[in-house]
Amino acid sequence: MTQVSRRKFLRTSLVGGASITTAALAHAAPMSGLYKAGTYSAKSAGIGGDVIVTMTFDANKITDVVIDASKETPGIGQKAAVELKKALLAGQTAKVDSVSGASITSNAVQKAAAKCIAQAKGEIPVEVITKETAKEEDSGDWLGKAPEIAEKDISKTVTTDILVVGCGTGGMFAVCAAAENGGKVIGIDRYSTGTGIRGDIASIDSRYQKKEGSKIDKFDFIAMATRYAGGHVKQELIKLWADQSGETVNWLGDRLAEVGIELKNEVGDPEVHTRYIDYPTGHSPQKVKGNAGKFMNVVLHDYAVKKGARFDYNTTMVKLEKKNGRVTGCIARDGDGKYVRYIAKKGTVVATGGYARNYPMMQALQPWNLRVISRTGAMPGATGDGIKACLWVGAKMDETHSAMKFDRTSLHIGQKPGLETVKAGTSKMFWMGSQPWLKVTSEGVRFMNESGTYENPLHADEYHKDHCHYSIFDSNWVPYTKQFRMHGCSRLWPFANGAEPNHMYTEMRDKVLPDLIKEGFVQQADSIEELARKLQLPVEQLKKTVANYNKMAYAGVDTEYGKEKHRLTPVDKPPFYGVKNSGWLLCTMDGIVIDKNLNACDENGDAIPGLFVIGNDSGCYFANEYPNLVDGMAAGRTVTFGRIVGRNLAKA
């Protein structure tokens, strides 16, 4: 109980207060037709979480519909939302046809739309919906209590040796490892398929690295990871990854080779000096058409099934169960809404992806990160359910809260960063944001060495009055991106061994940048004066900043912040470009305290028998800032620990 009361002390209300029903409703015009003109919102439970529908009305019709189905199944529920929006506008009613294959999402949209219409007609007072939302979100009680499920409501009981809750990056590796080592294993996931495997998987001493002669000192690595976290880590866990990650990547390479796909490693540029050291740890599948993460998910799913694993999709954990001090499994809700009890004789593995899409939880535990982001790339199932379930059975959570963020969001000049922009979905990805361009504040002043981690400018934005920054570059940007010799996912050119980057400069040049200019997210100008006016920055100050920066670039010495020579490039060839930059949230990094066996721990630090936690639901590994100069560190930790726990439980 001490743990819960401590978190209650941390809780605050959600940014902006009325996040579901807009403040403008208080001033909505009186009814002069069928509806009271205004914008109304409501929500209903979908398969992955709440679906939020926002509808705008004039006196006689629905004029706009926005559906937030971000927690629904990618490619199914999220895709259905696009069709449902069109149907609501065309039909002017909530009674629209369900989208085939997405009945649960369709039903949620219909129910939420009906609430919106009822509000607009005055049939349901706006205050009712507002209070309903405030009770859940504005109270700050993100943890709540474990739901009570009556025995009579449990439709069936399923028994297995190993239960894996969540079949994404870590969960899929756990299922595979358990199955191939003879374990009777079931993986459950709230979606109709797994959400995919995160790419760029880090390891030390894989066969690919050995072949390339890439050697990383694991003790240097452990020291680096500890420094980034300010010491808030268990070094034994980082060492566990360093010792076993190579074998995990080799295993993945074998699975991909079986279907004709090559796994290739990133290589470093040893001749290039950087003040912030990067480690060439990442491994990615090559020449995969479409989404590589989904492709890997299919490959591993099929492999696990061949080895005897079972998957129960469209099945959502409601709570863990504990008997005589041991976690025995969980109660889940299947696709028909029926409760199922799962009993796991050897252990239950929680791998639901953290809480990056649980905004009340984010606001309570790390509000500073919500202020500097404008977009999310978090997996749709990252709603904190796994962490909350563990807390309800007595587990302890990290007390240092943090998230992984990249500086790759572009905003319109009039937009503000923060949660409301994330929810509205009105920002755009600016993949080039992590290049070490000249970066300035809204006062037109340079504020840092731009050649560091992706998070450094975002943490600096915590101190900027508008919580964002501006990136400035010129028409020489293509050769400069080659000259920069970037690492990991920020690289826009192939690595020295031919390994593909996540995105090529040609994609940026031919498609991404022109589209962003056309849509008003990137400003283009023939002079610095014109660029300053378009960015709404002080003209004279920006001219002064650029002139001084160019002077240092010509001399090859950054006397302000010491940026490396090969990344100190002038802004002197028109046209010039500028972007209002903000953060892109990928995942949360704090989670349940675990020991070296990946067992969840209680408040005393003792292992909770039968409960294991991996991936973004687990803690003790990251804090403060994600060390993204180690390509794939999070995904590498997740898959390696998934493989370890699956194998260990199967052999127990």
Side-chain angles (χ1 to χ4, degrees):
M1 295 303 295
T2 303
Q3 174 178 315
V4 175
S5 62
R6 180 172 62 250
R7 288 194 177 84
K8 284 183 178 178
F9 177 77
L10 289 171
R11 293 168 190 158
T12 56
S13 61
L14 195 62
V15 173
S19 63
I20 297 296
T21 302
T22 62
L25 295 180
H27 306 289
M31 290 184 68
S32 58
L34 183 61
Y35 304 116
K36 179 185 289 186
T39 300
Y40 305 83
S41 292
K43 64 184 179 180
S44 184
I47 194 170
D50 286 329
V51 173
I52 301 173
V53 176
T54 302
M55 304 177 76
T56 301
F57 300 78
D58 65 16
N60 295 299
K61 66 179 184 295
I62 303 168
T63 60
D64 190 29
V65 175
V66 176
I67 301 174
D68 179 359
S70 58
K71 296 177 182 178
E72 299 302 274
T73 308
I76 301 177
Q78 293 179 18
K79 184 178 180 180
V82 177
E83 297 181 41
L84 290 163
K85 172 180 177 176
K86 295 176 182 177
L88 290 169
L89 283 170
Q92 292 290 305
T93 175
K95 297 178 181 179
V96 295
D97 292 336
S98 295
V99 175
S100 178
S103 58
I104 297 177
T105 303
S106 299
N107 186 51
V109 169
Q110 292 158 4
K111 287 181 178 179
K115 290 181 184 180
C116 293
I117 292 171
Q119 291 177 80
K121 287 183 174 180
E123 295 170 354
I124 298 179
V126 170
E127 291 78 11
V128 171
I129 304 297
T130 304
K131 288 178 180 178
E132 174 188 308
T133 301
K135 181 179 180 181
E136 298 179 14
E137 294 188 345
D138 295 346
S139 69
D141 187 9
W142 58 266
L143 180 55
K145 296 180 180 179
E148 298 290 338
I149 310 297
E151 284 295 320
K152 65 180 179 62
D153 293 330
I154 297 175
S155 63
K156 64 179 178 179
T157 297
V158 177
T159 301
T160 186
D161 289 338
I162 303 154
L163 176 67
V164 178
V165 183
C167 299
T169 303
M172 192 61 79
F173 274 73
V175 172
C176 286
E180 71 178 3
N181 283 281
K184 182 181 179 183
V185 58
I186 298 175
I188 67 172
D189 196 283
R190 68 174 63 208
Y191 297 116
S192 58
T193 62
T195 51
I197 309 298
R198 289 283 196 182
D200 297 330
I201 296 171
S203 81
I204 289 178
D205 288 337
S206 73
R207 64 171 177 250
Y208 305 95
Q209 292 167 318
K210 290 177 180 178
K211 180 180 178 181
E212 300 285 352
S214 179
K215 180 64 178 175
I216 297 170
D217 187 303
K218 70 180 178 182
F219 299 113
D220 283 346
F221 184 97
I222 292 169
M224 173 278 302
T226 303
R227 285 194 295 271
Y228 268 97
H232 295 281
V233 295
K234 289 186 176 182
Q235 282 198 354
E236 61 190 4
L237 292 174
I238 303 172
K239 183 177 183 297
L240 179 64
W241 169 83
D243 288 341
Q244 299 201 33
S245 58
E247 185 273 336
T248 298
V249 163
N250 292 345
W251 176 88
L252 175 61
D254 290 341
R255 303 289 77 76
L256 293 174
E258 289 168 358
V259 295
I261 295 298
E262 179 186 14
L263 192 66
K264 209 167 182 65
N265 65 302
E266 167 191 4
V267 293
D269 296 298
E271 76 281 6
V272 175
H273 164 73
T274 54
R275 297 189 186 281
Y276 295 88
I277 299 173
D278 60 87
Y279 289 78
T281 51
H283 298 71
S284 301
Q286 302 291 293
K287 296 178 174 59
V288 175
K289 294 182 179 179
N291 187 309
K294 290 182 179 179
F295 176 85
M296 288 193 287
N297 182 82
V298 171
V299 171
L300 297 189
H301 169 274
D302 292 349
Y303 175 80
V305 170
K306 288 179 182 178
K307 293 296 181 179
R310 166 178 159 182
F311 291 93
D312 289 355
Y313 288 114
N314 295 320
T315 301
T316 304
M317 177 176 68
V318 176
K319 67 174 184 178
L320 294 165
E321 290 197 296
K322 191 177 182 182
K323 185 176 181 180
N324 298 327
R326 178 183 179 85
V327 169
T328 58
C330 79
I331 294 177
R333 187 178 60 250
D334 66 16
D336 295 323
K338 295 180 180 179
Y339 291 112
V340 180
R341 170 173 283 133
Y342 287 88
I343 296 175
K345 293 187 290 185
K346 290 187 174 182
T348 299
V349 181
V350 175
T352 61
Y355 63 96
R357 286 189 182 270
N358 186 326
Y359 299 128
M361 193 170 174
M362 286 284 295
Q363 179 61 27
L365 300 182
Q366 42 181 311
W368 56 90
N369 280 326
L370 287 183
R371 285 193 285 270
V372 299
I373 63 167
S374 300
R375 190 173 182 84
T376 182
M379 290 296 192
T383 54
D385 295 351
I387 290 175
K388 291 195 293 183
C390 291
L391 294 174
W392 290 335
V393 295
K396 176 181 172 62
M397 187 178 183
D398 284 338
E399 295 182 346
T400 302
H401 308 290
S402 57
M404 184 195 304
K405 309 179 299 296
F406 288 176
D407 51 342
R408 296 180 190 169
T409 300
S410 59
L411 294 167
H412 282 128
I413 299 306
Q415 282 183 300
K416 295 181 179 180
L419 182 55
E420 294 309 314
T421 299
V422 174
K423 289 181 176 180
T426 50
S427 65
K428 278 295 181 80
M429 176 63 70
F430 178 56
W431 195 266
M432 296 159 60
S434 296
Q435 301 295 311
W437 314 120
L438 167 63
K439 299 181 190 293
V440 302
T441 67
S442 58
E443 281 122 12
V445 176
R446 187 182 181 214
F447 60 94
M448 68 179 298
N449 175 358
E450 299 90 347
S451 175
T453 71
Y454 309 155
E455 287 193 28
N456 280 358
L458 301 177
H459 288 303
D461 287 345
E462 294 173 22
Y463 302 101
H464 297 157
K465 62 183 180 181
D466 51 358
H467 300 308
C468 64
H469 61 277
Y470 299 77
S471 294
I472 311 294
F473 55 102
D474 71 7
S475 59
N476 275 325
W477 69 267
V478 171
Y480 289 161
T481 58
K482 186 175 184 180
Q483 178 180 322
F484 290 156
R485 303 284 188 92
M486 297 297 281
H487 69 288
C489 65
S490 68
R491 192 176 179 106
L492 299 178
W493 294 75
F495 293 92
N497 64 347
E500 300 172 329
N502 290 58
H503 296 278
M504 279 285 288
Y505 76 92
T506 49
E507 181 185 348
M508 303 297 113
R509 181 194 65 196
D510 300 338
K511 174 65 176 173
V512 175
L513 185 58
D515 285 352
L516 289 172
I517 294 170
K518 183 178 180 180
E519 296 168 8
F521 287 98
V522 173
Q523 306 302 316
Q524 179 178 329
D526 292 326
S527 67
I528 297 300
E529 294 91 336
E530 181 188 3
L531 185 65
R533 287 192 292 271
K534 286 187 173 183
L535 293 172
Q536 296 183 12
L537 301 178
V539 174
E540 293 306 315
Q541 180 57 59
L542 186 62
K543 287 172 59 180
K544 179 180 178 182
T545 296
V546 171
N548 186 56
Y549 186 77
N550 287 347
K551 182 179 179 181
M552 293 186 294
Y554 299 146
V557 180
D558 181 359
T559 56
E560 283 187 331
Y561 293 103
K563 183 154 72 174
E564 303 87 345
K565 181 178 180 180
H566 69 286
R567 292 178 178 169
L568 183 66
T569 53
V571 183
D572 60 359
K573 183 180 178 181
F576 303 104
Y577 303 94
V579 186
K580 187 173 184 179
N581 248 162
S582 182
W584 177 41
L585 176 66
L586 277 85
C587 63
T588 47
M589 301 193 299
D590 53 315
I592 298 300
V593 174
I594 57 175
D595 64 16
K596 63 182 179 181
N597 297 313
L598 312 179
N599 249 134
C601 297
D602 62 19
E603 285 284 347
N604 296 321
D606 296 324
I608 299 175
L611 180 59
F612 302 83
V613 188
I614 58 174
N616 296 332
D617 286 335
S618 65
C620 312
Y621 205 90
F622 296 112
N624 301 323
E625 179 174 84
Y626 178 61
N628 61 265
L629 297 178
V630 183
D631 185 26
M633 185 173 174
R637 178 275 306 254
T638 297
V639 302
T640 300
F641 287 4
R643 186 155 169 73
I644 290 171
V645 74
R647 180 176 59 223
N648 289 351
L649 286 174
K651 294 180 177 181

